[in-house]
Amino acid sequence: GIQVEQSPPDLILQEGANSTLRCNFSDSVNNLQWFHQNPWGQLINLFYIPSGTKQNGRLSATTVATERYSLLYISSSQTTDSGVYFCAVEGGANSKLTFGKGITLSVRP
Amino acid sequence: KAGVTQTPRYLIKTRGQQVTLSCSPISGHRSVSWYQQTPGQGLQFLFEYFSETQRNKGNFPGRFSGRQFSNSRSEMNVSTLELGDSALYLCASSLGAGETQYFGPGTRLLVL
């Protein structure tokens, strides 16, 4: 099956700093999503981005499908950005998402 | 539109018991998937249902089963609970393969 690797595993930032989170995947995909898991466990959709670039406020994402990677950019980070960020991909004719291990982001005031 | 809802939110069971979790998808979504999240294994796919048919199944023992009803609501059942079944169980719904998946708040199961 598809392998998903996220890096770095942990990231500590000062408030106001920018960061880049990376997701590599091993095969072609028809769905790639970035999630932020809140402290209560819910996965919050950030982006649906199987290819191309999208922006939503301070967050943006780019997926280069031909090179099998995606990047999530967080600018001017805030303490509320802290948490775990997951990349998940779907390949083939089904709705099975394969998740990476997540990136734990800590933003310090 | 209302989001994905899951009930109950928290459960405590003892080894050997069985449990049933429920998921109501977003209106109009026919695909419902279930995932298990544990600290050791991360997020793992359990199974997916589309129009009442199981389309895909993850690598879990037969104690884990599910079903989907004609209104797209889904249930998953775990029989003969083991300590290792303690986890956050997440349900997601979508329009179908390749579409955005939306997750519910999850059910936290603790097996004592």
Side-chain angles (χ1 to χ4, degrees):
Chain A
I2 295 176
Q3 307 297 313
V4 180
E5 292 186 4
Q6 292 185 248
S7 60
D10 301 282
L11 194 53
I12 300 174
L13 301 175
Q14 282 299 124
E15 202 168 24
N18 302 328
S19 61
T20 301
L21 287 61
R22 187 176 180 102
C23 172
N24 292 333
F25 45 96
S26 61
D27 206 343
S28 59
V29 298
N30 55 15
N31 178 6
L32 187 147
Q33 291 182 243
W34 282 97
F35 298 92
H36 179 205
Q37 189 164 39
N38 69 20
W40 297 272
Q42 182 154 12
L43 290 171
I44 308 299
N45 276 308
L46 297 177
F47 293 101
Y48 167 85
I49 189 164
S51 64
T53 297
K54 291 185 177 179
Q55 180 155 8
N56 184 6
R58 295 181 298 103
L59 302 182
S60 64
T62 294
T63 297
V64 183
T66 53
E67 297 187 23
R68 297 181 184 164
Y69 73 88
S70 182
L71 302 173
L72 176 68
Y73 305 97
I74 304 175
S75 64
S76 304
S77 58
Q78 300 175 358
T79 55
T80 51
D81 294 330
S82 296
V84 184
Y85 290 80
F86 288 100
C87 166
V89 303
E90 177 188 324
N94 59 63
S95 297
K96 170 186 173 182
L97 284 175
T98 300
F99 284 80
K101 293 186 184 300
I103 296 171
T104 301
L105 174 65
S106 299
V107 181
R108 302 204 169 151
Chain B
K1 275 186 181 178
V4 180
T5 58
Q6 292 186 244
T7 56
R9 295 293 310 278
Y10 303 93
L11 265 180
I12 300 176
K13 294 284 188 179
T14 56
R15 277 181 298 174
Q17 288 186 310
Q18 76 164 20
V19 66
T20 299
L21 311 182
S22 181
C23 172
S24 292
I26 291 171
S27 178
H29 286 189
R30 294 163 65 188
S31 171
V32 174
S33 301
W34 289 89
Y35 296 81
Q36 181 197 64
Q37 185 176 26
T38 59
Q41 299 300 317
L43 278 150
Q44 293 186 289
F45 172 79
L46 280 158
F47 28 65
E48 185 230 353
Y49 287 86
F50 186 90
S51 294
E52 302 179 65
T53 300
Q54 186 182 88
R55 289 204 302 191
N56 205 355
K57 191 177 193 307
N59 189 24
F60 280 82
R63 299 184 298 106
F64 291 81
S65 63
R67 59 178 175 169
Q68 187 179 33
F69 302 95
S70 58
N71 62 357
S72 294
R73 189 177 70 86
S74 177
E75 290 181 347
M76 67 163 282
N77 184 76
V78 187
S79 63
T80 319
L81 283 166
E82 300 178 359
L83 297 179
D85 298 332
S86 295
L88 176 65
Y89 290 88
L90 293 162
C91 162
S93 80
S94 73
L95 290 170
E99 301 288 338
T100 304
Q101 293 201 32
Y102 298 90
F103 281 78
T107 296
R108 286 196 184 273
L109 172 64
L110 177 62
V111 182
L112 301 174

